[in-house]
């Protein structure tokens, strides 16, 4: 949850920087639902691949999709079994404890829906081809059965955290980009704001704003970032409110 929050904050603070000092944030597009006790984080690469991680007080469920490898192609879901709901991707989390069903349902709620196949028919299946679940000291899922499954690298990144820092999942491995000199000021702000947000609603300070926005940012980008950050209780001073 802490790593998800940090990744989400990094994505939306980095995007407003008019100097583009951090052009390779850990997420291309991040979305958030719920809160720190029961929530869901969506992370995509801008090219059609993504993962969703959901948590409750009980445990964690992760689902991932690599373009072209959804439940029909990778989990053996038959076309006549498509429901457009959780059962489409249940094969990714075999043995899922009943206590984790709420987290699973939340994760499925952020999955994309399948497009028309070669036959031109839109089946509307939920798109994930690999998954895992964590319940106490138990962990399972198709990611554990086949770590090389398409989309698995996006979930495997969550097992390689450095503190709260999520590595960037690349086609050929993983990369931490916190050492880039130009991005250091952004990372410092992200770390500080995330720490405060874990304790409750917070607002960027004057010094943080001066560092983050040395010049006027794109108004549309700023308005979008403000909207997204409010989901996790982070605000910018009202003088910058563009929404």
């Amino acid at each position: 949850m802490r790593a998800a929050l940090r990744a989400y904050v990094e994505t939306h603070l980095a995007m407003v920087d008019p100097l583009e000092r951090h052009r390779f944030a850990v997420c291309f597009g991040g979305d958030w639902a719920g809160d720190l006790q029961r929530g869901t984080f969506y992370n995509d690469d801008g090219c059609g691949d993504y993962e969703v991680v959901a948590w409750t007080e009980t445990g964690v469920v992760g689902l991932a999709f690599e373009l072209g490898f959804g439940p029909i192609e990778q989990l053996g879901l038959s076309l006549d079994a498509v429901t457009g709901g959780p059962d489409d991707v249940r094969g990714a989390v075999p043995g899922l404890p009943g206590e984790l069903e709420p987290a699973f349902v939340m994760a499925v709620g952020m999955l994309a829906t399948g497009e028309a196949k070669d036959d031109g028919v839109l089946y509307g299946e939920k798109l994930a081809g690999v998954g895992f679940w964590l319940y106490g000291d138990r962990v399972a899922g198709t990611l554990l059965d086949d770590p090389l499954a398409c989309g698995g690298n996006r979930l495997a990144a969550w097992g390689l955290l450095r503190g709260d820092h999520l590595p960037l999942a690349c086609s050929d491995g993983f990369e931490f980009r916190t050492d880039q000199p130009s991005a250091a000021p952004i990372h410092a702000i992200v770390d500080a704001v995330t720490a405060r947000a874990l304790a409750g609603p917070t607002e960027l300070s004057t010094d943080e704003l001066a560092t983050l926005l040395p010049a006027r940012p794109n108004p549309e980008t700023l308005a979008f970032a403000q909207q997204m950050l409010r989901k996790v209780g982070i605000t910018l001073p009202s003088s910058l409110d563009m929404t």
Side-chain angles (χ1 to χ4, degrees), residues 109-189:
M110 275 204 173
L111 299 179
T113 301
E115 299 179 353
K117 305 300 181 187
D118 293 339
D119 57 8
V121 178
L122 178 65
Y123 292 96
E125 76 278 21
K126 287 296 183 179
L127 291 177
V130 62
F132 78 89
W133 56 263
L134 174 65
Y135 178 58
D137 59 357
R138 298 167 54 198
V139 61
T142 53
L143 174 67
L144 284 299
D145 299 332
D146 181 10
L148 299 179
C150 294
N153 67 319
R154 301 195 64 83
L155 294 178
W158 290 88
L160 299 173
L161 297 174
R162 290 181 181 173
D164 295 341
H165 291 247
L166 178 70
L168 184 68
C170 307
S171 58
D172 57 350
F174 308 95
E175 183 178 352
F176 285 93
R177 296 188 170 179
T178 56
D179 297 331
Q180 294 177 320
S182 64
I186 307 300
H187 281 297
I189 294 173

Side-chain angles (χ1 to χ4, degrees), residues 33 40 42 52 54 63 85-86 89 102-112 126:
T40 314
Y42 167 96
V52 175
L63 297 167
V89 296
F104 176 60
V105 171
M106 289 193 303
V108 172
M110 275 204 173
L111 299 179
K126 287 296 183 179

Side-chain angles (χ1 to χ4, degrees), residues 35-117:
D35 54 35
L36 299 177
Q37 285 71 49
R38 298 171 64 90
T40 314
F41 173 65
Y42 167 96
N43 173 23
D44 71 51
D45 68 352
C47 298
D49 301 346
Y50 61 81
E51 87 272 8
V52 175
V53 179
W55 57 88
T56 65
E57 302 89 340
T58 304
V60 180
V61 173
L63 297 167
F65 172 67
E66 183 173 315
L67 196 61
F69 296 93
I72 292 173
E73 297 83 1
Q74 191 152 288
L75 298 176
L77 180 71
S78 63
L79 296 179
D80 60 2
V82 171
T83 66
D87 286 343
D88 291 354
V89 296
R90 196 171 294 276
V93 287
L96 181 78
E99 293 86 347
L100 290 182
E101 185 69 16
F104 176 60
V105 171
M106 289 193 303
V108 172
M110 275 204 173
L111 299 179
T113 301
E115 299 179 353
K117 305 300 181 187

